[in-house]
Structure formats: structure tokens, C-alpha cells
């Protein structure tokens, strides 16, 4: 069965430090992977996706993600965190049709 | 580009009444729209997949007679919560896909409170 795991409920990072939000997946075939961000009481905003090509994908707001096929991971990264990056982050993989299978979400807290 | 709107953003209604939530793709034609429900501090739960001009496909456990979905045009889908009860209180989010691309673009969500 296809699934997505975000092993950390919460990640705390000091402002200016690099951040990583982890995601692992389980799919049959080639994965289509996504990262979305959700601010309080808001819908989700698309950050980036991996379909094919370079394993390092660059997205919005300075975020990037690295696709690692051998480790079945798609971790989200940013070299220098901002307080405004504090939000809920979701990893997702494409399931049947255009449906997305969602991770549980990781709350990212950036402390000044 | 790829902006999705939802209306209303918040709604409070009495138990037993029906509430309609609209989801519009503002600058693109959405062949497929999705309706999600999100509980506090939880991930999104897919309720149904809606394709323009055809009946929505509901996920297991979602009552299609209670959550009526209409996708009358390529830019508009509506979700009607019929005979709402307090347990239907939740954050409802829609999304839309751009043709053959895989990216879903999300609306800002609707907070429903049933008294």
C-alpha cells in the first residue's frame, strides 16, 4: 500500500540555522512527491514537487527537497530558517488518479 | 496563477440546517477538484473527488447524501452539508488540479461551526 510518513510531530530550529523536515514514502513504481505548507487557519500552499529529473528540487520561499530513491525519502530543507517559516508542513505522494496520500504533518517552530 | 477561492471563509449555523460551500478556480479550468476535511492538529482527510459534469467519487465512510457535491463547471464545485450537526463542525478545504498536471492548488478553507 502507498503511504507517507513524517516521523517528527514537531521540529524546533533557531532562526538562521538550517532546517530539515523529514519525509519517507512507500509506493509502487516511480513516486510523484509534494511538499505543502499550511499557516494557521489557512489552506495549503504548494512548495515544490518531484516528478522526475534532478534529485534536488528547488521550490518557493527558499525551500528545497532532496529525493533519495534508495532511502525512499524526500526531506524538505532550507539553508537558513526564518521565523516566518513557522507553520505546518505536509509531505504527500500521488496515489490513484490525481489523489494525494498525505503525511500526518510536521509543525515547524523557528525561534528568534 | 493557479488561484483557488472558497466562500464563505467562516460559517456558523444551527443544527439541522444546510450549508453550501463554494470552491472556485479563478484563473484556470479545473478538471478535477477535491474536498478535504481537516480536524484540529491533524492531516487532511479526503472526502471526495469531483470531476466536472460527472458524479463525485466519495471516499469510504463519507456519506454522499449528507455531503452533496456538485461540479457544474470547470471553475466551480460546491459542497453542501445537509442537516448539519455539531459533529460536522470542521475545517473544509477544497483543491483543484490543472489539467494533466499533478499539483493540487488549495483554497483557503472554510471553518464550519454547527451550534
Amino acid at each position: 500500500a502507498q503511504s507517507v510518513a513524517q516521523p517528527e510531530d514537531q521540529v524546533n530550529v533557531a532562526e538562521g540555522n538550517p532546517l530539515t523536515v523529514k519525509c519517507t514514502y512507500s509506493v509502487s513504481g516511480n513516486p510523484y512527491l509534494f511538499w505543502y505548507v499550511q499557516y494557521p487557519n489557512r489552506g495549503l500552499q504548494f512548495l515544490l514537487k518531484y516528478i522526475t529529473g534532478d534529485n534536488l528540487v528547488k521550490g518557493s520561499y527558499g525551500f528545497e527537497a532532496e529525493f533519495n530513491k534508495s532511502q525512499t525519502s524526500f526531506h524538505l530543507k532550507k539553508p537558513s530558517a526564518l521565523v516566518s517559516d513557522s507553520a505546518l508542513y505536509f509531505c504527500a505522494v500521488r496515489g490513484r488518479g490525481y489523489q494525494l496520500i498525505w503525511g500526518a504533518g510536521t509543525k515547524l517552530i523557528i525561534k528568534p | 496563477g493557479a488561484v483557488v477561492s472558497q466562500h464563505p471563509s467562516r460559517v456558523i449555523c444551527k443544527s439541522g440546517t444546510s450549508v453550501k460551500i463554494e470552491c472556485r478556480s479563478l484563473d484556470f479550468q479545473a478538471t478535477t477538484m477535491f474536498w478535504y476535511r481537516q480536524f484540529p492538529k491533524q492531516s487532511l482527510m479526503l472526502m471526495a473527488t469531483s470531476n466536472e459534469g460527472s458524479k463525485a467519487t466519495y471516499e469510504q465512510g463519507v456519506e454522499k447524501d449528507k455531503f452533496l457535491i456538485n461540479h457544474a463547471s470547470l471553475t466551480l464545485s460546491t459542497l453542501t452539508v445537509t442537516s448539519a450537526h455539531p459533529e460536522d463542525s470542521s475545517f473544509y478545504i477544497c483543491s483543484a488540479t490543472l489539467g494533466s498536471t499533478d499539483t493540487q492548488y488549495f483554497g483557503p478553507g472554510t471553518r464550519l461551526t454547527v451550534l
Side-chain angles (χ1 to χ4, degrees), chain A residues 13-53:
Chain A
V13 179
E15 186 177 25
N17 283 1
L19 69 87
T20 299
V21 183
K22 295 180 180 177
C23 172
T24 59
Y25 65 89
S26 174
V27 296
S28 55
N30 295 320
Y32 288 15
L33 296 156
F34 301 82
W35 275 102
Y36 286 84
V37 60
Q38 185 179 31
Y39 297 98
N41 296 311
R42 301 287 301 277
L44 278 71
Q45 294 180 31
F46 169 73
L47 279 179
L48 50 82
K49 67 180 178 182
Y50 172 83
I51 304 297
T52 186

Coordinates of all heavy atoms in Angstrom, one line a residue, chain A residues 13-53:
Chain A
V13 N 13.8 24.9 15.5 CA 15.1 25.4 14.9 C 15.3 26.8 15.3 O 14.3 27.6 15.3 CB 15.0 25.2 13.4 CG1 16.3 25.8 12.7 CG2 14.8 23.8 13.0
A14 N 16.5 27.2 15.6 CA 16.8 28.6 15.8 C 16.9 29.4 14.5 O 17.3 28.8 13.5 CB 18.1 28.7 16.6
E15 N 16.4 30.6 14.5 CA 16.4 31.4 13.3 C 17.9 31.5 12.8 O 18.8 31.7 13.6 CB 15.9 32.8 13.6 CG 15.8 33.7 12.4 CD 15.2 35.1 12.8 OE1 15.3 35.5 13.9 OE2 14.5 35.7 11.9
G16 N 18.0 31.4 11.5 CA 19.3 31.5 10.9 C 20.0 30.1 10.7 O 20.9 30.0 9.9
N17 N 19.5 29.1 11.4 CA 20.1 27.8 11.3 C 19.4 27.0 10.1 O 18.3 27.4 9.8 CB 19.9 27.0 12.6 CG 20.9 27.4 13.7 OD1 21.7 28.3 13.4 ND2 20.8 26.8 14.8
P18 N 20.1 26.0 9.6 CA 19.4 25.2 8.6 C 18.3 24.4 9.2 O 18.4 24.0 10.4 CB 20.6 24.3 8.0 CG 21.6 24.3 9.1 CD 21.5 25.6 9.9
L19 N 17.3 24.1 8.4 CA 16.3 23.2 8.8 C 16.0 22.0 7.9 O 16.3 22.1 6.7 CB 15.0 24.0 9.0 CG 14.3 24.5 7.7 CD1 13.3 23.5 7.2 CD2 13.5 25.8 8.0
T20 N 15.6 21.0 8.5 CA 15.2 19.8 7.7 C 13.9 19.2 8.3 O 13.8 19.0 9.5 CB 16.3 18.7 7.8 OG1 17.5 19.2 7.3 CG2 15.8 17.4 7.0
V21 N 13.0 19.0 7.4 CA 11.7 18.3 7.8 C 11.7 17.0 7.0 O 11.7 17.0 5.8 CB 10.5 19.2 7.5 CG1 9.2 18.5 8.0 CG2 10.6 20.5 8.1
K22 N 11.6 15.9 7.8 CA 11.7 14.6 7.2 C 10.4 14.0 6.6 O 9.4 14.2 7.1 CB 12.3 13.6 8.2 CG 13.7 14.0 8.6 CD 14.2 13.0 9.7 CE 15.6 13.4 10.1 NZ 16.2 12.5 11.2
C23 N 10.6 13.2 5.5 CA 9.5 12.5 4.9 C 10.0 11.3 4.2 O 11.0 11.3 3.5 CB 8.9 13.4 3.8 SG 7.6 12.6 2.8
T24 N 9.4 10.2 4.5 CA 9.7 8.9 3.8 C 8.4 8.4 3.2 O 7.3 8.7 3.6 CB 10.3 7.9 4.7 OG1 9.3 7.6 5.8 CG2 11.6 8.3 5.3
Y25 N 8.5 7.6 2.1 CA 7.3 7.2 1.4 C 7.5 5.7 1.0 O 8.5 5.1 1.1 CB 7.2 8.0 0.1 CG 8.3 7.8 -0.9 CD1 8.3 6.8 -1.8 CD2 9.5 8.6 -0.8 CE1 9.3 6.6 -2.7 CE2 10.6 8.4 -1.7 CZ 10.5 7.4 -2.6 OH 11.5 7.2 -3.4
S26 N 6.3 5.2 0.7 CA 6.2 3.8 0.2 C 5.2 3.8 -1.0 O 4.1 4.1 -0.7 CB 5.8 2.9 1.3 OG 5.6 1.6 0.8
V27 N 5.7 3.6 -2.2 CA 4.9 3.5 -3.3 C 5.4 2.4 -4.3 O 6.5 2.0 -4.2 CB 4.8 4.8 -4.1 CG1 4.3 5.9 -3.3 CG2 6.2 5.2 -4.6
S28 N 4.5 2.0 -5.1 CA 4.9 1.1 -6.2 C 5.2 1.9 -7.4 O 4.4 2.9 -7.7 CB 3.8 0.0 -6.5 OG 2.6 0.7 -6.8
G29 N 6.2 1.7 -8.1 CA 6.5 2.5 -9.3 C 7.2 3.8 -8.9 O 7.7 4.0 -7.8
N30 N 7.3 4.7 -9.9 CA 8.0 5.9 -9.6 C 7.1 6.9 -8.8 O 6.0 7.1 -9.2 CB 8.4 6.6 -11.0 CG 9.4 5.7 -11.7 OD1 10.3 5.2 -11.1 ND2 9.3 5.6 -13.0
P31 N 7.7 7.5 -7.8 CA 6.8 8.4 -7.0 C 6.7 9.8 -7.5 O 7.7 10.3 -8.1 CB 7.6 8.4 -5.6 CG 9.0 8.2 -6.0 CD 9.0 7.3 -7.3
Y32 N 5.6 10.4 -7.3 CA 5.4 11.8 -7.5 C 5.2 12.4 -6.1 O 4.3 12.1 -5.4 CB 4.1 12.1 -8.3 CG 4.2 11.7 -9.8 CD1 5.2 10.9 -10.3 CD2 3.2 12.2 -10.7 CE1 5.2 10.6 -11.7 CE2 3.3 11.9 -12.0 CZ 4.3 11.1 -12.5 OH 4.3 10.8 -13.8
L33 N 6.1 13.2 -5.7 CA 6.2 13.7 -4.3 C 6.0 15.2 -4.2 O 6.4 15.9 -5.1 CB 7.6 13.3 -3.7 CG 7.8 11.8 -3.6 CD1 9.3 11.5 -3.6 CD2 7.1 11.2 -2.4
F34 N 5.4 15.6 -3.1 CA 5.0 17.0 -3.0 C 5.3 17.4 -1.5 O 5.2 16.7 -0.6 CB 3.5 17.2 -3.3 CG 3.1 16.8 -4.6 CD1 2.8 15.5 -4.9 CD2 2.9 17.8 -5.6 CE1 2.4 15.1 -6.2 CE2 2.5 17.4 -6.9 CZ 2.3 16.1 -7.2
W35 N 5.5 18.7 -1.4 CA 5.5 19.4 -0.1 C 4.6 20.6 -0.2 O 4.6 21.4 -1.1 CB 6.9 19.9 0.3 CG 7.8 18.9 0.9 CD1 8.8 18.1 0.4 CD2 7.7 18.4 2.3 NE1 9.3 17.3 1.3 CE2 8.7 17.4 2.5 CE3 6.9 18.8 3.4 CZ2 8.9 16.8 3.7 CZ3 7.1 18.1 4.6 CH2 8.1 17.2 4.8
Y36 N 3.8 20.7 0.9 CA 2.9 21.8 1.1 C 3.1 22.4 2.5 O 3.5 21.7 3.4 CB 1.4 21.4 1.0 CG 0.9 21.1 -0.4 CD1 1.1 19.8 -1.0 CD2 0.3 22.0 -1.2 CE1 0.7 19.5 -2.3 CE2 -0.2 21.7 -2.5 CZ 0.0 20.5 -3.0 OH -0.4 20.2 -4.3
V37 N 2.8 23.7 2.6 CA 2.8 24.4 3.9 C 1.5 24.9 4.2 O 0.7 25.4 3.3 CB 3.9 25.5 3.9 CG1 3.6 26.5 2.8 CG2 4.0 26.1 5.2
Q38 N 1.1 24.9 5.5 CA -0.2 25.4 6.0 C 0.1 26.4 7.1 O 0.7 26.0 8.1 CB -1.1 24.3 6.4 CG -2.5 24.8 6.8 CD -3.4 23.7 7.2 OE1 -3.0 22.7 7.7 NE2 -4.7 23.9 6.9
Y39 N -0.4 27.6 6.9 CA -0.3 28.6 8.0 C -1.6 28.5 8.8 O -2.6 28.0 8.3 CB -0.1 30.0 7.5 CG 1.3 30.1 6.8 CD1 1.4 29.9 5.4 CD2 2.4 30.2 7.5 CE1 2.6 30.0 4.8 CE2 3.7 30.3 6.9 CZ 3.8 30.1 5.5 OH 5.0 30.2 4.9
P40 N -1.7 28.9 10.1 CA -2.8 28.8 10.9 C -4.1 29.2 10.2 O -4.2 30.3 9.7 CB -2.5 29.6 12.1 CG -1.0 29.6 12.2 CD -0.5 29.6 10.8
N41 N -5.1 28.3 10.3 CA -6.5 28.6 9.8 C -6.4 29.0 8.3 O -7.3 29.8 7.9 CB -7.1 29.7 10.6 CG -7.4 29.3 12.0 OD1 -7.9 28.2 12.3 ND2 -6.9 30.1 13.0
R42 N -5.5 28.4 7.6 CA -5.4 28.7 6.1 C -5.4 27.4 5.4 O -5.2 26.3 5.9 CB -4.2 29.5 5.8 CG -4.0 30.9 6.6 CD -5.0 31.9 6.0 NE -4.7 32.1 4.6 CZ -3.8 32.9 4.1 NH1 -3.1 33.6 4.9 NH2 -3.7 33.1 2.8
G43 N -5.6 27.5 4.1 CA -5.5 26.4 3.2 C -4.0 26.1 3.0 O -3.1 26.6 3.7
L44 N -3.7 25.1 2.2 CA -2.3 24.7 1.9 C -1.7 25.5 0.7 O -2.4 25.7 -0.2 CB -2.3 23.2 1.7 CG -2.3 22.3 2.9 CD1 -3.6 22.3 3.6 CD2 -1.9 20.9 2.5
Q45 N -0.5 25.7 0.9 CA 0.3 26.3 -0.2 C 1.3 25.4 -0.8 O 2.0 24.7 0.0 CB 1.0 27.6 0.2 CG 0.0 28.7 0.6 CD 0.8 30.0 1.1 OE1 1.9 30.2 0.6 NE2 0.2 30.7 2.0
F46 N 1.3 25.2 -2.1 CA 2.3 24.4 -2.7 C 3.7 24.9 -2.6 O 3.9 26.1 -2.9 CB 1.9 24.2 -4.2 CG 2.9 23.6 -5.1 CD1 3.1 22.2 -5.0 CD2 3.6 24.3 -6.0 CE1 4.0 21.6 -5.8 CE2 4.5 23.7 -6.8 CZ 4.7 22.3 -6.8
L47 N 4.6 24.1 -2.2 CA 6.0 24.5 -2.1 C 6.9 23.9 -3.2 O 7.6 24.7 -3.9 CB 6.6 24.0 -0.8 CG 6.3 24.7 0.5 CD1 7.0 24.0 1.7 CD2 6.8 26.2 0.4
L48 N 6.8 22.6 -3.5 CA 7.6 22.0 -4.5 C 7.1 20.6 -4.8 O 6.4 20.1 -4.0 CB 9.1 22.1 -4.1 CG 9.5 21.5 -2.8 CD1 9.6 20.0 -2.8 CD2 10.8 22.1 -2.3
K49 N 7.6 20.1 -5.9 CA 7.3 18.7 -6.2 C 8.4 18.0 -6.9 O 9.3 18.7 -7.6 CB 6.0 18.6 -7.1 CG 6.2 19.2 -8.5 CD 4.9 19.1 -9.2 CE 5.0 19.7 -10.6 NZ 3.7 19.6 -11.4
Y50 N 8.5 16.7 -6.8 CA 9.4 15.9 -7.6 C 8.6 15.0 -8.5 O 7.8 14.2 -8.0 CB 10.3 15.1 -6.7 CG 11.2 14.1 -7.4 CD1 12.4 14.5 -8.1 CD2 10.8 12.8 -7.6 CE1 13.1 13.6 -8.8 CE2 11.5 11.9 -8.3 CZ 12.7 12.3 -8.9 OH 13.4 11.4 -9.7
I51 N 8.9 15.0 -9.8 CA 8.2 14.1 -10.7 C 9.3 13.2 -11.3 O 9.3 12.0 -11.3 CB 7.5 14.9 -11.8 CG1 6.4 15.8 -11.2 CG2 6.8 13.9 -12.8 CD1 5.4 15.1 -10.4
T52 N 10.3 13.9 -11.9 CA 11.5 13.2 -12.5 C 12.6 14.2 -12.6 O 12.4 15.4 -12.3 CB 11.1 12.6 -13.8 OG1 12.2 11.8 -14.3 CG2 10.8 13.7 -14.8
G53 N 13.8 13.7 -13.0 CA 14.9 14.6 -13.2 C 15.8 14.7 -12.0 O 16.0 13.8 -11.3

